[in-house]
């Protein structure tokens, strides 16, 4: 890979994986690949692992890294996707602050240039080169709005890896107001606040299925996934239902469906009105 393309990739990685000093994404390291996906348990797991890493492992001692991996790597039965790697070296980067950044504890930038990623579930080249689909799919203005509206790593990783949810939110608001949101409109504090309200639903969606953390992607056996079924079964579809599916919604009764659609349409309308 040329120097030019490397620096381009570095810029891109900073833009989505580690976009600012407040939050970051650990999704492709396996952050959410666990049957216990509730935020308190998930962040507590990262905290315990980070504490243990500081106590038990040393970046200069490959044997200690291998022993750490053996002890802390999740077995298939506790993962949502049993065959998908979940790296025990993903931890907390800002001390033990669970509201701060998540990231690779054995990355050279965390360890004065020493690289321990070959002891992880992939190898250093895979870790370095992988970029998820969001990098190719999301528009700059969509990314900027997510960055402004999402405050912490738990929520950020779930939102930024769900481009369809972000795009649909924009499109529904565009339909309601008759124009696609422009970049200059999206920095208005009222617009950011309305977007923050919508994205917060990803954290607290009351109708999320037990396996709904990956949104429209339903984990199956091993590495197998399939697309989430419509929450209303064979009932009539509405455009807002794409958001329902993107939020990992379980099967709903008719009253629940009406309530869920109402919550989402309300959030979209408030965003559209804030855009003016
Ligand atoms: S899932 Fe995407 S945004 Fe998140 S860390 Fe991986 S490559 Fe970066
Ligand atoms: S070693 Fe690779 S997979 Fe593991 S936490 Fe670091 S970057 Fe992620």
């Amino acid at each position: 890979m040329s120097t030019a393309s490397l620096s381009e990739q570095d810029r891109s990685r900073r833009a989505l994986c580690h976009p600012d000093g407040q939050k970051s994404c650990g999704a492709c390291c396996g952050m959410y690949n666990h049957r216990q996906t509730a935020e308190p348990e998930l962040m507590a797991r990262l905290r315990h692992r980070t504490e243990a890493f500081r106590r038990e492992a040393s970046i200069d001692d490959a044997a200690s890294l291998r022993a750490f991996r053996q002890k802390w790597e999740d077995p298939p039965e506790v993962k949502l996707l049993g065959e998908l790697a979940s790296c025990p070296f993903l931890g907390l980067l800002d001390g033990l602050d669970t509201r701060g950044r998540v990231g690779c504890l054995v990355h050279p930038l965390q360890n004065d240039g020493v690289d321990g990623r070959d002891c992880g579930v992939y190898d250093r080249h895979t870790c370095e080169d992988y970029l998820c689909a969001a990098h190719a799919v999301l528009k700059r203005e969509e990314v900027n709005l997510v960055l402004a509206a999402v405050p912490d790593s738990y929520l950020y990783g779930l939102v930024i890896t769900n481009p369809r949810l972000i795009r649909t939110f924009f499109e529904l608001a565009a339909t309601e107001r008759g124009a696609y949101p422009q970049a200059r409109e999206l920095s208005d504090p009222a617009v950011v606040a309305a977007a923050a309200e919508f994205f917060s639903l990803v954290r607290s969606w009351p109708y999320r299925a037990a396996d709904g953390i990956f949104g429209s992607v339903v984990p199956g056996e091993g590495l197998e996934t399939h697309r989430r079924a419509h929450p209303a079964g064979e009932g009539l579809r509405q455009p807002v239902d794409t958001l329902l599916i993107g939020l990992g919604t379980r099967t709903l009764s008719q009253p629940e469906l009406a309530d869920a659609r109402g919550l989402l349409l309300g959030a979209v309308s408030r965003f559209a009105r804030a855009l003016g």
Side-chain angles (χ1 to χ4, degrees):
M1 193 177 285
S2 71
T3 309
S5 63
L6 262 181
S7 70
E8 196 174 298
Q9 182 166 322
D10 281 351
R11 273 199 301 278
S12 175
R13 185 173 291 283
R14 274 198 298 276
L16 291 197
C17 308
H18 286 266
D20 55 35
Q22 269 80 54
K23 57 187 172 283
S24 56
C25 174
C28 61
C29 301
M31 178 163 162
Y32 307 103
N33 187 20
H34 197 284
R35 291 187 186 276
Q36 266 195 334
T37 51
E39 182 176 3
E41 285 83 1
L42 191 149
M43 297 312 290
R45 260 201 324 276
L46 282 187
R47 184 187 167 102
H48 291 144
R49 216 157 66 188
T50 305
E51 284 177 312
F53 179 81
R54 304 272 179 239
R55 206 170 50 235
E56 299 170 14
S58 164
I59 194 70
D60 297 312
D61 178 359
S64 76
L65 298 181
R66 285 194 291 272
F68 184 85
R69 176 179 169 186
Q70 195 165 23
K71 181 172 172 186
W72 286 92
E73 187 173 354
D74 287 331
E77 58 271 20
V78 305
K79 293 192 280 186
L80 277 174
L81 275 163
E83 297 304 318
L84 185 69
S86 182
C87 190
F89 293 116
L90 181 75
L92 303 176
L93 297 186
D94 297 321
L96 294 173
D97 181 6
T98 53
R99 301 286 293 178
R101 292 167 306 147
V102 299
C104 178
L105 298 172
V106 292
H107 193 283
L109 288 176
Q110 297 296 321
N111 296 288
D112 298 324
V114 183
D115 195 336
R117 290 175 294 177
D118 285 337
C119 294
V121 294
Y122 302 115
D123 59 59
R124 67 179 70 186
H125 303 292
T126 307
C127 295
E128 189 68 34
D129 294 344
Y130 178 75
L131 289 176
C132 68
H135 289 82
V137 171
L138 288 174
K139 299 176 188 171
R140 191 66 246 170
E141 58 266 32
E142 293 168 334
V143 170
N144 286 345
L145 185 65
V146 171
L147 293 183
V150 173
D152 59 83
S153 295
Y154 174 83
L155 184 59
Y156 176 68
L158 291 176
V159 172
I160 204 70
T161 55
N162 199 339
R164 183 109 195 261
L165 186 81
I166 300 168
R167 180 70 46 83
T168 304
F169 178 59
F170 269 67
E171 286 173 350
L172 289 172
T175 302
E176 185 160 330
R177 74 190 286 247
Y180 204 81
Q182 300 295 302
R184 66 183 158 69
E185 299 172 313
L186 294 170
S187 56
D188 184 296
V191 172
V192 173
E197 185 199 339
F198 170 71
F199 291 131
S200 73
L201 292 173
V202 175
R203 189 199 307 276
S204 58
W205 184 234
Y207 297 113
R208 189 163 86 186
D211 62 358
I213 192 91
F214 298 133
S216 62
V217 177
V218 180
E221 287 301 309
L223 280 175
E224 184 191 306
T225 62
H226 52 274
R227 190 166 161 72
R228 187 164 299 282
H230 193 285
E234 296 306 312
L236 281 178
R237 306 294 194 249
Q238 293 185 9
V240 73
D241 295 352
T242 306
L243 294 182
L244 280 181
I245 294 169
L247 286 167
T249 303
R250 60 172 168 77
T251 303
L252 300 178
S253 66
Q254 284 306 313
E256 287 175 328
L257 179 64
D259 181 58
R261 282 173 170 159
L263 290 172
L264 295 175
L265 287 170
V268 169
S269 287
R270 284 188 284 281
F271 181 58
R273 280 202 302 276
L275 285 163

